[in-house]
Amino acid sequence: MEDVSAAAVVFADGVNALLPDQEDGEIDGTALTAVRSLTPTWHRRCGRRLLWGMIGFFVALVAFTVAAGLAGTAVSVVIMALIGGITWVCLGIGVYTVRRGLRERWLRRHGITVTATAAATPGAYVYMDGTGTYRGFVHGEDGPYVTVSYDPRDPADVLVPRRRTCAF
């Protein structure tokens, strides 16, 4: 580096004196790196879209209930609020369940399924993606291992598929 002050040179010499001697002069820090994806995961994107949809539905429900109150009787307001509220809750649960089911189905067909082993913290798991990078996540279950599926385009976006059960 050119045009540096004498203080910077003294500081750099002091830091270099504290570092252990390297034979080849190069320090390989690849073993100390960790990969962290900053893109939002599928779960976060789906939750955000669902939240905005539910807020929009709720605002429309309130507007229709107020309009029904101005145009009709109190019975129509109660009926609209009751049926609309139940519909609001059922719609949110249904959309989330269907989207998660479609995501699981896509990951079962096109994703990569691996076994994640338990980490030191209860509920935390570690798995290795296709590039050899170890990735971690937290899941509600606590056990020695769990099967996970991830998208090969974004290995940090991991999903623990639900166990398939038969009602018969």
Side-chain angles (χ1 to χ4, degrees), residues 30-85:
T30 56
L32 303 174
T33 60
V35 177
R36 181 174 171 221
S37 176
L38 298 177
T39 59
T41 61
W42 173 86
H43 190 318
R44 188 170 299 232
R45 286 189 315 265
C46 178
R48 192 177 309 132
R49 289 178 187 155
L50 182 62
L51 176 67
W52 281 109
M54 295 300 290
I55 289 172
F57 187 91
F58 184 74
V59 168
L61 175 64
V62 168
F64 283 129
T65 304
V66 168
L70 294 175
T73 62
V75 174
S76 63
V77 172
V78 171
I79 291 174
M80 182 170 279
L82 183 64
I83 292 175

Short mmCIF file of all heavy atoms in Angstrom, two decimals, residues 30-85:
data_model
loop_
_atom_site.label_atom_id
_atom_site.label_comp_id
_atom_site.label_asym_id
_atom_site.label_seq_id
_atom_site.Cartn_x
_atom_site.Cartn_y
_atom_site.Cartn_z
N THR A 30 -10.34 -20.95 5.12
CA THR A 30 -11.57 -21.54 4.61
C THR A 30 -12.23 -22.47 5.61
O THR A 30 -13.45 -22.62 5.60
CB THR A 30 -11.29 -22.32 3.31
OG1 THR A 30 -10.28 -23.30 3.56
CG2 THR A 30 -10.85 -21.39 2.20
N ALA A 31 -11.46 -23.10 6.50
CA ALA A 31 -12.05 -24.00 7.48
C ALA A 31 -12.80 -23.22 8.56
O ALA A 31 -13.62 -23.78 9.28
CB ALA A 31 -10.97 -24.86 8.12
N LEU A 32 -12.53 -21.94 8.67
CA LEU A 32 -13.16 -21.12 9.71
C LEU A 32 -14.38 -20.36 9.20
O LEU A 32 -15.01 -19.63 9.96
CB LEU A 32 -12.14 -20.12 10.27
CG LEU A 32 -10.87 -20.74 10.84
CD1 LEU A 32 -9.89 -19.64 11.21
CD2 LEU A 32 -11.19 -21.61 12.03
N THR A 33 -14.72 -20.50 7.94
CA THR A 33 -15.84 -19.76 7.37
C THR A 33 -17.13 -20.54 7.51
O THR A 33 -17.14 -21.77 7.60
CB THR A 33 -15.60 -19.45 5.88
OG1 THR A 33 -15.45 -20.68 5.18
CG2 THR A 33 -14.38 -18.58 5.70
N ALA A 34 -18.21 -19.82 7.52
CA ALA A 34 -19.54 -20.43 7.55
C ALA A 34 -20.39 -19.71 6.52
O ALA A 34 -20.26 -18.51 6.31
CB ALA A 34 -20.16 -20.30 8.93
N VAL A 35 -21.27 -20.45 5.87
CA VAL A 35 -22.13 -19.89 4.86
C VAL A 35 -23.48 -19.60 5.48
O VAL A 35 -24.08 -20.46 6.12
CB VAL A 35 -22.29 -20.85 3.66
CG1 VAL A 35 -23.25 -20.29 2.65
CG2 VAL A 35 -20.94 -21.12 3.04
N ARG A 36 -23.94 -18.38 5.28
CA ARG A 36 -25.25 -17.98 5.80
C ARG A 36 -26.01 -17.32 4.68
O ARG A 36 -25.54 -16.36 4.07
CB ARG A 36 -25.08 -17.01 6.95
CG ARG A 36 -26.39 -16.58 7.53
CD ARG A 36 -26.18 -15.74 8.76
NE ARG A 36 -27.44 -15.19 9.17
CZ ARG A 36 -27.60 -13.96 9.58
NH1 ARG A 36 -26.58 -13.16 9.67
NH2 ARG A 36 -28.79 -13.53 9.92
N SER A 37 -27.18 -17.83 4.38
CA SER A 37 -28.00 -17.27 3.32
C SER A 37 -28.78 -16.09 3.86
O SER A 37 -29.42 -16.18 4.90
CB SER A 37 -28.96 -18.34 2.80
OG SER A 37 -29.82 -17.79 1.85
N LEU A 38 -28.72 -14.98 3.15
CA LEU A 38 -29.45 -13.80 3.57
C LEU A 38 -30.78 -13.66 2.86
O LEU A 38 -31.55 -12.76 3.16
CB LEU A 38 -28.60 -12.54 3.34
CG LEU A 38 -27.29 -12.51 4.12
CD1 LEU A 38 -26.50 -11.26 3.76
CD2 LEU A 38 -27.54 -12.55 5.61
N THR A 39 -31.06 -14.54 1.91
CA THR A 39 -32.34 -14.49 1.24
C THR A 39 -33.41 -15.06 2.16
O THR A 39 -33.15 -15.99 2.92
CB THR A 39 -32.31 -15.30 -0.07
OG1 THR A 39 -31.98 -16.65 0.24
CG2 THR A 39 -31.31 -14.73 -1.05
N PRO A 40 -34.60 -14.50 2.12
CA PRO A 40 -35.65 -15.04 2.99
C PRO A 40 -36.03 -16.46 2.57
O PRO A 40 -36.10 -16.77 1.39
CB PRO A 40 -36.82 -14.08 2.79
CG PRO A 40 -36.46 -13.17 1.68
CD PRO A 40 -35.02 -13.36 1.36
N THR A 41 -36.26 -17.30 3.54
CA THR A 41 -36.62 -18.68 3.26
C THR A 41 -38.05 -18.76 2.76
O THR A 41 -38.82 -17.81 2.84
CB THR A 41 -36.49 -19.54 4.53
OG1 THR A 41 -37.39 -19.03 5.51
CG2 THR A 41 -35.08 -19.52 5.07
N TRP A 42 -38.40 -19.92 2.23
CA TRP A 42 -39.75 -20.11 1.72
C TRP A 42 -40.78 -19.87 2.81
O TRP A 42 -41.80 -19.24 2.59
CB TRP A 42 -39.90 -21.54 1.17
CG TRP A 42 -41.31 -21.83 0.79
CD1 TRP A 42 -41.90 -21.56 -0.40
CD2 TRP A 42 -42.32 -22.39 1.63
NE1 TRP A 42 -43.21 -21.92 -0.36
CE2 TRP A 42 -43.50 -22.44 0.87
CE3 TRP A 42 -42.35 -22.86 2.93
CZ2 TRP A 42 -44.69 -22.94 1.37
CZ3 TRP A 42 -43.54 -23.36 3.43
CH2 TRP A 42 -44.69 -23.40 2.66
N HIS A 43 -40.50 -20.37 3.99
CA HIS A 43 -41.44 -20.24 5.10
C HIS A 43 -41.69 -18.76 5.42
O HIS A 43 -42.82 -18.33 5.64
CB HIS A 43 -40.88 -20.96 6.31
CG HIS A 43 -41.86 -21.10 7.44
ND1 HIS A 43 -42.70 -20.11 7.83
CD2 HIS A 43 -42.12 -22.13 8.26
CE1 HIS A 43 -43.42 -20.51 8.84
NE2 HIS A 43 -43.09 -21.75 9.12
N ARG A 44 -40.64 -17.96 5.42
CA ARG A 44 -40.77 -16.54 5.71
C ARG A 44 -41.52 -15.80 4.60
O ARG A 44 -42.37 -14.96 4.85
CB ARG A 44 -39.40 -15.93 5.92
CG ARG A 44 -39.45 -14.50 6.41
CD ARG A 44 -38.09 -14.07 6.81
NE ARG A 44 -37.64 -14.94 7.90
CZ ARG A 44 -37.17 -14.50 9.04
NH1 ARG A 44 -37.06 -13.23 9.24
NH2 ARG A 44 -36.80 -15.34 9.97
N ARG A 45 -41.20 -16.13 3.33
CA ARG A 45 -41.90 -15.49 2.21
C ARG A 45 -43.37 -15.86 2.22
O ARG A 45 -44.24 -15.01 2.03
CB ARG A 45 -41.26 -15.91 0.89
CG ARG A 45 -39.93 -15.28 0.60
CD ARG A 45 -39.46 -15.56 -0.82
NE ARG A 45 -39.62 -16.93 -1.24
CZ ARG A 45 -38.68 -17.87 -1.20
NH1 ARG A 45 -37.49 -17.57 -0.73
NH2 ARG A 45 -38.91 -19.08 -1.62
N CYS A 46 -43.67 -17.13 2.44
CA CYS A 46 -45.06 -17.58 2.47
C CYS A 46 -45.81 -16.94 3.62
O CYS A 46 -46.94 -16.50 3.46
CB CYS A 46 -45.11 -19.10 2.58
SG CYS A 46 -46.77 -19.78 2.69
N GLY A 47 -45.17 -16.88 4.78
CA GLY A 47 -45.82 -16.26 5.94
C GLY A 47 -46.10 -14.78 5.73
O GLY A 47 -47.15 -14.27 6.13
N ARG A 48 -45.16 -14.08 5.08
CA ARG A 48 -45.35 -12.65 4.82
C ARG A 48 -46.50 -12.43 3.84
O ARG A 48 -47.35 -11.57 4.04
CB ARG A 48 -44.06 -12.06 4.26
CG ARG A 48 -44.06 -10.55 4.23
CD ARG A 48 -42.74 -9.99 3.74
NE ARG A 48 -41.61 -10.55 4.45
CZ ARG A 48 -40.53 -11.02 3.87
NH1 ARG A 48 -40.40 -10.99 2.57
NH2 ARG A 48 -39.54 -11.51 4.58
N ARG A 49 -46.56 -13.23 2.77
CA ARG A 49 -47.66 -13.10 1.80
C ARG A 49 -49.00 -13.44 2.45
O ARG A 49 -50.01 -12.76 2.21
CB ARG A 49 -47.41 -14.02 0.62
CG ARG A 49 -46.29 -13.57 -0.25
CD ARG A 49 -46.06 -14.55 -1.37
NE ARG A 49 -44.88 -14.20 -2.12
CZ ARG A 49 -44.16 -15.06 -2.80
NH1 ARG A 49 -44.52 -16.32 -2.86
NH2 ARG A 49 -43.08 -14.66 -3.45
N LEU A 50 -49.00 -14.48 3.25
CA LEU A 50 -50.24 -14.86 3.93
C LEU A 50 -50.68 -13.78 4.90
O LEU A 50 -51.87 -13.46 4.98
CB LEU A 50 -50.04 -16.19 4.66
CG LEU A 50 -51.25 -16.75 5.39
CD1 LEU A 50 -52.37 -17.04 4.41
CD2 LEU A 50 -50.88 -18.01 6.14
N LEU A 51 -49.75 -13.18 5.62
CA LEU A 51 -50.09 -12.11 6.55
C LEU A 51 -50.72 -10.93 5.83
O LEU A 51 -51.75 -10.41 6.26
CB LEU A 51 -48.84 -11.66 7.31
CG LEU A 51 -49.03 -10.47 8.25
CD1 LEU A 51 -49.92 -10.87 9.41
CD2 LEU A 51 -47.69 -9.96 8.73
N TRP A 52 -50.11 -10.50 4.72
CA TRP A 52 -50.67 -9.38 3.98
C TRP A 52 -52.04 -9.72 3.39
O TRP A 52 -52.95 -8.89 3.35
CB TRP A 52 -49.71 -8.91 2.89
CG TRP A 52 -48.62 -8.07 3.45
CD1 TRP A 52 -47.31 -8.42 3.57
CD2 TRP A 52 -48.74 -6.77 4.03
NE1 TRP A 52 -46.60 -7.41 4.18
CE2 TRP A 52 -47.46 -6.38 4.46
CE3 TRP A 52 -49.80 -5.90 4.21
CZ2 TRP A 52 -47.23 -5.16 5.06
CZ3 TRP A 52 -49.56 -4.66 4.82
CH2 TRP A 52 -48.29 -4.31 5.23
N GLY A 53 -52.21 -10.96 2.92
CA GLY A 53 -53.52 -11.38 2.43
C GLY A 53 -54.57 -11.39 3.53
O GLY A 53 -55.71 -10.97 3.33
N MET A 54 -54.18 -11.86 4.72
CA MET A 54 -55.12 -11.90 5.84
C MET A 54 -55.47 -10.49 6.31
O MET A 54 -56.61 -10.22 6.69
CB MET A 54 -54.54 -12.72 6.99
CG MET A 54 -54.35 -14.19 6.65
SD MET A 54 -55.87 -15.02 6.20
CE MET A 54 -56.69 -15.06 7.76
N ILE A 55 -54.51 -9.59 6.30
CA ILE A 55 -54.79 -8.20 6.68
C ILE A 55 -55.75 -7.58 5.67
O ILE A 55 -56.72 -6.89 6.05
CB ILE A 55 -53.48 -7.39 6.79
CG1 ILE A 55 -52.71 -7.82 8.03
CG2 ILE A 55 -53.77 -5.89 6.84
CD1 ILE A 55 -51.32 -7.22 8.13
N GLY A 56 -55.53 -7.82 4.37
CA GLY A 56 -56.43 -7.30 3.34
C GLY A 56 -57.84 -7.86 3.49
O GLY A 56 -58.83 -7.12 3.37
N PHE A 57 -57.94 -9.15 3.76
CA PHE A 57 -59.25 -9.77 3.96
C PHE A 57 -59.95 -9.17 5.17
O PHE A 57 -61.15 -8.90 5.14
CB PHE A 57 -59.10 -11.28 4.11
CG PHE A 57 -60.41 -12.02 4.15
CD1 PHE A 57 -60.97 -12.49 2.99
CD2 PHE A 57 -61.07 -12.24 5.35
CE1 PHE A 57 -62.17 -13.18 3.01
CE2 PHE A 57 -62.26 -12.92 5.39
CZ PHE A 57 -62.82 -13.39 4.22
N PHE A 58 -59.19 -8.96 6.25
CA PHE A 58 -59.78 -8.40 7.46
C PHE A 58 -60.27 -6.97 7.24
O PHE A 58 -61.35 -6.60 7.71
CB PHE A 58 -58.76 -8.44 8.61
CG PHE A 58 -59.31 -7.98 9.92
CD1 PHE A 58 -60.18 -8.79 10.64
CD2 PHE A 58 -58.99 -6.74 10.44
CE1 PHE A 58 -60.70 -8.37 11.85
CE2 PHE A 58 -59.49 -6.31 11.65
CZ PHE A 58 -60.35 -7.13 12.35
N VAL A 59 -59.49 -6.17 6.52
CA VAL A 59 -59.92 -4.79 6.23
C VAL A 59 -61.19 -4.80 5.39
O VAL A 59 -62.13 -4.02 5.64
CB VAL A 59 -58.78 -4.01 5.54
CG1 VAL A 59 -59.27 -2.70 4.97
CG2 VAL A 59 -57.64 -3.76 6.51
N ALA A 60 -61.25 -5.68 4.39
CA ALA A 60 -62.46 -5.79 3.58
C ALA A 60 -63.65 -6.26 4.42
O ALA A 60 -64.77 -5.75 4.26
CB ALA A 60 -62.22 -6.75 2.42
N LEU A 61 -63.42 -7.18 5.34
CA LEU A 61 -64.50 -7.66 6.21
C LEU A 61 -65.03 -6.54 7.09
O LEU A 61 -66.25 -6.37 7.23
CB LEU A 61 -64.00 -8.82 7.07
CG LEU A 61 -64.97 -9.36 8.13
CD1 LEU A 61 -66.19 -9.96 7.46
CD2 LEU A 61 -64.28 -10.36 9.02
N VAL A 62 -64.13 -5.75 7.65
CA VAL A 62 -64.56 -4.62 8.48
C VAL A 62 -65.34 -3.61 7.64
O VAL A 62 -66.39 -3.09 8.07
CB VAL A 62 -63.35 -3.96 9.18
CG1 VAL A 62 -63.73 -2.64 9.81
CG2 VAL A 62 -62.77 -4.91 10.22
N ALA A 63 -64.87 -3.33 6.42
CA ALA A 63 -65.57 -2.37 5.56
C ALA A 63 -66.97 -2.86 5.20
O ALA A 63 -67.94 -2.09 5.25
CB ALA A 63 -64.75 -2.13 4.30
N PHE A 64 -67.09 -4.15 4.85
CA PHE A 64 -68.41 -4.68 4.53
C PHE A 64 -69.32 -4.73 5.75
O PHE A 64 -70.53 -4.52 5.65
CB PHE A 64 -68.29 -6.08 3.91
CG PHE A 64 -67.85 -6.06 2.48
CD1 PHE A 64 -66.80 -6.84 2.06
CD2 PHE A 64 -68.48 -5.26 1.54
CE1 PHE A 64 -66.38 -6.83 0.75
CE2 PHE A 64 -68.08 -5.23 0.22
CZ PHE A 64 -67.02 -6.02 -0.18
N THR A 65 -68.76 -5.01 6.91
CA THR A 65 -69.56 -5.03 8.13
C THR A 65 -70.08 -3.64 8.47
O THR A 65 -71.24 -3.47 8.86
CB THR A 65 -68.74 -5.60 9.30
OG1 THR A 65 -68.26 -6.90 8.94
CG2 THR A 65 -69.59 -5.74 10.55
N VAL A 66 -69.23 -2.63 8.32
CA VAL A 66 -69.66 -1.24 8.56
C VAL A 66 -70.71 -0.85 7.54
O VAL A 66 -71.73 -0.22 7.89
CB VAL A 66 -68.45 -0.29 8.52
CG1 VAL A 66 -68.89 1.16 8.47
CG2 VAL A 66 -67.55 -0.53 9.73
N ALA A 67 -70.52 -1.22 6.29
CA ALA A 67 -71.51 -0.90 5.26
C ALA A 67 -72.84 -1.60 5.55
O ALA A 67 -73.92 -1.01 5.37
CB ALA A 67 -70.99 -1.30 3.88
N ALA A 68 -72.78 -2.84 6.01
CA ALA A 68 -74.01 -3.56 6.36
C ALA A 68 -74.69 -2.91 7.56
O ALA A 68 -75.92 -2.86 7.64
CB ALA A 68 -73.71 -5.02 6.66
N GLY A 69 -73.90 -2.41 8.50
CA GLY A 69 -74.46 -1.73 9.66
C GLY A 69 -75.14 -0.43 9.28
O GLY A 69 -76.19 -0.08 9.85
N LEU A 70 -74.58 0.29 8.34
CA LEU A 70 -75.18 1.55 7.90
C LEU A 70 -76.43 1.32 7.06
O LEU A 70 -77.35 2.14 7.07
CB LEU A 70 -74.16 2.38 7.11
CG LEU A 70 -72.96 2.89 7.90
CD1 LEU A 70 -71.98 3.57 6.96
CD2 LEU A 70 -73.41 3.83 9.00
N ALA A 71 -76.47 0.21 6.33
CA ALA A 71 -77.58 -0.05 5.43
C ALA A 71 -78.66 -0.94 6.05
O ALA A 71 -79.81 -0.91 5.59
CB ALA A 71 -77.08 -0.71 4.16
N GLY A 72 -78.32 -1.69 7.05
CA GLY A 72 -79.28 -2.67 7.53
C GLY A 72 -79.48 -2.61 9.03
O GLY A 72 -79.38 -1.56 9.66
N THR A 73 -79.74 -3.76 9.57
CA THR A 73 -80.01 -3.88 11.00
C THR A 73 -78.79 -4.43 11.73
O THR A 73 -77.80 -4.84 11.12
CB THR A 73 -81.19 -4.84 11.22
OG1 THR A 73 -80.83 -6.12 10.74
CG2 THR A 73 -82.44 -4.35 10.51
N ALA A 74 -78.88 -4.49 13.04
CA ALA A 74 -77.78 -5.00 13.86
C ALA A 74 -77.60 -6.50 13.66
O ALA A 74 -76.50 -7.01 13.81
CB ALA A 74 -78.05 -4.69 15.33
N VAL A 75 -78.68 -7.20 13.31
CA VAL A 75 -78.58 -8.65 13.10
C VAL A 75 -77.67 -8.94 11.91
O VAL A 75 -76.85 -9.87 11.95
CB VAL A 75 -79.99 -9.25 12.89
CG1 VAL A 75 -79.91 -10.72 12.53
CG2 VAL A 75 -80.84 -9.04 14.12
N SER A 76 -77.78 -8.16 10.84
CA SER A 76 -76.93 -8.39 9.67
C SER A 76 -75.46 -8.13 10.00
O SER A 76 -74.58 -8.81 9.47
CB SER A 76 -77.39 -7.52 8.50
OG SER A 76 -77.24 -6.15 8.82
N VAL A 77 -75.18 -7.17 10.88
CA VAL A 77 -73.81 -6.89 11.28
C VAL A 77 -73.23 -8.07 12.06
O VAL A 77 -72.11 -8.50 11.82
CB VAL A 77 -73.73 -5.59 12.11
CG1 VAL A 77 -72.35 -5.40 12.69
CG2 VAL A 77 -74.13 -4.40 11.27
N VAL A 78 -74.00 -8.60 12.99
CA VAL A 78 -73.53 -9.72 13.80
C VAL A 78 -73.31 -10.96 12.94
O VAL A 78 -72.29 -11.65 13.06
CB VAL A 78 -74.54 -10.02 14.94
CG1 VAL A 78 -74.21 -11.31 15.65
CG2 VAL A 78 -74.58 -8.86 15.91
N ILE A 79 -74.26 -11.22 12.04
CA ILE A 79 -74.13 -12.39 11.17
C ILE A 79 -72.92 -12.24 10.25
O ILE A 79 -72.13 -13.17 10.08
CB ILE A 79 -75.43 -12.61 10.36
CG1 ILE A 79 -76.54 -13.07 11.30
CG2 ILE A 79 -75.21 -13.62 9.24
CD1 ILE A 79 -77.89 -13.17 10.65
N MET A 80 -72.75 -11.06 9.66
CA MET A 80 -71.61 -10.85 8.76
C MET A 80 -70.29 -10.94 9.51
O MET A 80 -69.33 -11.54 9.02
CB MET A 80 -71.71 -9.50 8.05
CG MET A 80 -70.59 -9.27 7.07
SD MET A 80 -70.85 -7.84 6.06
CE MET A 80 -71.94 -8.53 4.85
N ALA A 81 -70.22 -10.37 10.70
CA ALA A 81 -68.98 -10.43 11.48
C ALA A 81 -68.68 -11.86 11.90
O ALA A 81 -67.52 -12.31 11.85
CB ALA A 81 -69.08 -9.53 12.70
N LEU A 82 -69.68 -12.61 12.30
CA LEU A 82 -69.49 -13.99 12.74
C LEU A 82 -69.05 -14.88 11.58
O LEU A 82 -68.02 -15.57 11.67
CB LEU A 82 -70.77 -14.53 13.38
CG LEU A 82 -70.69 -15.94 13.95
CD1 LEU A 82 -69.71 -15.97 15.10
CD2 LEU A 82 -72.05 -16.39 14.40
N ILE A 83 -69.79 -14.86 10.49
CA ILE A 83 -69.45 -15.71 9.34
C ILE A 83 -68.14 -15.25 8.71
O ILE A 83 -67.30 -16.07 8.34
CB ILE A 83 -70.61 -15.71 8.32
CG1 ILE A 83 -71.81 -16.44 8.93
CG2 ILE A 83 -70.18 -16.37 7.01
CD1 ILE A 83 -73.05 -16.41 8.08
N GLY A 84 -67.95 -13.94 8.61
CA GLY A 84 -66.70 -13.43 8.03
C GLY A 84 -65.49 -13.76 8.89
O GLY A 84 -64.43 -14.09 8.37
N GLY A 85 -65.62 -13.71 10.21
CA GLY A 85 -64.52 -14.05 11.10
C GLY A 85 -64.13 -15.52 11.00
O GLY A 85 -62.95 -15.87 10.95
#
